């Protein structure tokens, strides 16, 4: 997987009426999350998560096999410390050497693209899912926006990454931050909302 240079673009939609709910979800359009196909896919994901988080819990050969089924679009050396949670799994795209510490949650209703050599601290939350502000619409449908995290990023523990965000290559997000806007490459960003407080010197930045 090459370095990520720009956010994932949503496809051009010309005929929404003939789209399935899954196609709408992946395209960032309003969709019915209770659709039968989507419901079955989430159930299947939960079965795999139950095996990973309860039956195995340790990173064993069986756990690695479960992770391959759970996240099929991952390169080598994806390391997950259980417990872990995601909605579908197939919308998570990981480069080489990606590490998730315990209790990470990825709501992957839309594509989550993660570059090479990326580390996630404990309790990181990555949300592509969002909802209309009006309560009537919120009862009928939801939305999702893709998230992109570039190569060589470090996401501190208890960070929340909101829908539609891109975090540039080489950036570090301080623990407890809420990232609701794009973060440029080689930046140290902290806080709620996360703000850039320092530019990092690429590969040579220490401390």
């Amino acid at each position: 997987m090459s370095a990520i240079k720009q956010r994932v673009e949503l496809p051009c939609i010309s005929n929404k009426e003939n789209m399935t709910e899954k196609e709408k979800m992946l395209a960032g359009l309003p969709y019915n999350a209770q659709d039968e196909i989507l419901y079955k896919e989430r159930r299947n994901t939960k079965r795999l998560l139950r095996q990973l988080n309860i039956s195995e819990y340790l990173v064993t050969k069986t756990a690695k096999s479960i992770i391959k089924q759970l996240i099929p679009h991952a390169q080598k050396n994806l390391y997950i410390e259980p417990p872990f949670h995601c909605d579908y799994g197939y919308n998570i795209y990981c480069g080489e050497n990606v590490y998730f510490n315990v209790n990470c949650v990825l709501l992957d209703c839309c594509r989550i693209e993660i570059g090479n050599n990326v580390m996630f601290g404990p309790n990181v939350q990555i949300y592509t899912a969002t909802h209309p502000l009006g309560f009537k619409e919120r009862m009928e449908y939801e939305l999702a926006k893709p998230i992109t995290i570039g190569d060589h990023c470090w996401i501190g523990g208890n960070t929340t990454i909101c829908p539609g965000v891109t975090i540039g290559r080489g950036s570090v997000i301080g623990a407890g931050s809420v990232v609701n806007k794009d973060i440029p490459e080689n930046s140290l960003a902290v806080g709620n909302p996360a703000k850039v407080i320092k530019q990092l010197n690429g590969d040579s930045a220490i401390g």
Side-chain angles (χ1 to χ4, degrees):
M1 187 183 221
S2 60
I4 299 169
K5 296 183 179 179
Q6 58 185 5
R7 70 169 68 247
V8 176
E9 295 294 336
L10 295 177
C12 179
I13 305 303
S14 59
N15 193 352
K16 301 176 185 178
E17 291 76 14
N18 294 329
M19 296 175 69
T20 65
E21 297 303 311
K22 181 175 179 177
E23 288 171 337
K24 293 175 185 177
M25 178 184 78
L26 297 176
L29 297 171
Y31 73 97
N32 177 11
Q34 301 308 312
D35 172 72
E36 183 178 356
I37 292 175
L38 294 177
Y39 177 76
K40 287 181 178 179
E41 289 184 342
R42 290 196 300 271
R43 292 269 297 184
N44 182 62
T45 299
K46 288 185 182 297
R47 292 189 188 98
L48 292 172
L49 289 170
R50 185 180 189 279
Q51 294 176 50
L52 177 66
N53 294 334
I54 298 175
S55 300
E56 292 303 312
Y57 202 74
L58 300 173
V59 183
T60 62
K61 288 184 178 180
T62 302
K64 290 179 180 178
S65 176
I66 295 168
I67 290 169
K68 285 183 179 180
Q69 296 178 65
L70 184 65
I71 305 177
H73 301 300
Q75 302 299 315
K76 294 179 181 179
N77 301 321
L78 170 60
Y79 192 97
I80 294 176
E81 290 275 8
F84 175 84
H85 179 80
C86 61
D87 280 337
Y88 298 96
Y90 58 72
N91 284 327
I92 302 170
Y93 292 74
C94 294
E96 303 279 3
N97 301 316
V98 173
Y99 171 79
F100 286 96
N101 211 316
V102 296
N103 290 322
C104 288
V105 176
L106 280 69
L107 302 187
D108 61 316
C109 305
C110 208
R111 186 179 179 117
I112 298 173
E113 188 154 358
I114 299 166
N116 301 312
N117 307 313
V118 179
M119 299 191 303
F120 296 90
N123 302 306
V124 170
Q125 319 285 304
I126 303 177
Y127 304 150
T128 68
T130 185
H131 301 271
L133 296 179
F135 76 91
K136 291 183 178 179
E137 293 86 354
R138 195 160 56 239
M139 296 297 292
E140 296 178 4
Y141 64 86
E142 63 182 66
L143 300 157
K145 298 179 181 179
I147 289 172
T148 300
I149 301 169
D151 295 342
H152 310 298
C153 286
W154 174 21
I155 312 299
N158 289 299
T159 291
T160 299
I161 301 175
C162 295
V165 162
T166 292
I167 298 175
R169 181 185 190 276
S171 289
V172 176
I173 309 299
S177 297
V178 177
V179 186
N180 63 356
K181 293 182 180 179
D182 292 353
I183 302 297
E185 292 186 359
N186 298 317
S187 300
L188 171 61
V190 299
N192 179 9
K195 295 181 179 180
V196 176
I197 62 170
K198 182 179 180 180
Q199 288 301 126
L200 305 176
N201 188 23
D203 297 335
S204 63
I206 299 177

